[in-house]
Amino acid sequence: EPEVTQTPSHQVTQMGQEVILRCVPISNHLYFYWYRQILGQKVEFLVSFYNNEISEKSEIFDDQFSVERPDGSNFTLKIRSTKLEDSAMYFCASSIAGGRGDTQYFGPGTRLTVL
Amino acid sequence: AQSVTQPDIHITVSEGASLELRCNYSYGATPYLFWYVQSPGQGLQLLLKYFSGDTLVQGIKGFEAEFKRSQSSFNLRKPSVHWSDAAEYFCAVLGSSNTGKLIFGQGTTLQVKP
């Protein structure tokens, strides 16, 4: 069964450093998402992406964040200058269609630790 | 603003007992509702979803959920819990912007006693 994969599973970085989290969505999916979950808190939407454009972003997704689909298979989340509060589990998801509740398939997550 | 509330942070049930996990949503129109499960070290897996029609929806692993508009609820049930059901369960509603954004509740951690 196709699945969403994410690398690395765990990333440790120093505050102020740039990180890139990578995701490979399911191959025929067209809509891509990033969510995050700070330890002990709810899963929060960061951004949705379709047709090489951001469809929607949350207040969390400020200028320090960016997303890209560089090569038609990977979907990346970049944090330019990490802060301590960026420490969280980051989930990538993809779906065939967007809106109308099409099923989103989630990856296993990347745990980001900012020191 | 849309929101989802899962009143129970942690629930413990005995194996073989029935289970009900509560979910309340805040949304003006007919919501698109989901239940996801997260096992340790795993991503979120969809258990079931409700869009319209029959208010009792069946999902995977023997789970079902009932949409009750009058109570703004979408509670998840299972008649007989197995030890492998121990996990964290998330209720979610589709955002009104129709971009696929999901709004999640806090999650309920289910512990199963032997």
Side-chain angles (χ1 to χ4, degrees), chain B residues 49-107:
Chain B
K49 58 187 178 184
Y50 170 78
F51 291 167
S52 63
D54 193 348
T55 56
L56 185 63
V57 293
Q58 303 296 320
I60 63 171
K61 305 185 181 189
F63 285 92
E64 66 178 27
E66 186 171 12
F67 171 63
K68 292 185 177 180
R69 184 188 301 276
S70 61
Q71 298 177 17
S72 298
S73 69
F74 188 56
N75 294 349
L76 182 71
R77 301 195 294 248
K78 186 169 185 177
S80 177
V81 167
H82 188 262
W83 64 266
S84 61
D85 293 324
E88 188 155 21
Y89 292 80
F90 293 94
C91 182
V93 66
L94 181 69
S96 58
S97 56
N98 211 32
T99 59
K101 169 184 174 180
L102 291 176
I103 299 162
F104 285 88
Q106 287 279 78

Side-chain angles (χ1 to χ4, degrees), chain A residues 31 33 35 37 40-43 45 48 55-56 91 98-108, chain B residues 4 32 34 36 38 41-44 46 49 51 88 90 94 97-102 104-106:
Chain A
Y31 292 77
Y33 314 87
Y35 294 83
Q37 184 181 29
Q41 298 186 23
K42 62 174 68 177
V43 177
F45 169 81
S48 59
S55 307
E56 183 176 0
F91 293 105
R100 299 192 61 80
D102 192 47
T103 299
Q104 291 181 30
Y105 294 83
F106 283 76
Chain B
V4 175
Y32 290 66
F34 306 81
Y36 279 87
Q38 183 184 25
Q42 304 293 313
L44 285 80
L46 182 69
K49 58 187 178 184
F51 291 167
E88 188 155 21
F90 293 94
L94 181 69
S97 56
N98 211 32
T99 59
K101 169 184 174 180
L102 291 176
F104 285 88
Q106 287 279 78

Side-chain angles (χ1 to χ4, degrees), chain A residues 60-95:
Chain A
I60 303 166
F61 195 90
D62 62 21
D63 292 345
Q64 293 300 311
F65 291 85
S66 61
V67 289
E68 194 178 31
R69 189 152 160 81
D71 56 12
S73 62
N74 290 282
F75 180 51
T76 61
L77 174 69
K78 182 193 291 187
I79 309 176
R80 286 190 186 78
S81 178
T82 50
K83 306 183 188 70
L84 295 176
E85 54 264 37
D86 294 326
S87 294
M89 181 73 90
Y90 288 80
F91 293 105
C92 172
S94 69
S95 62

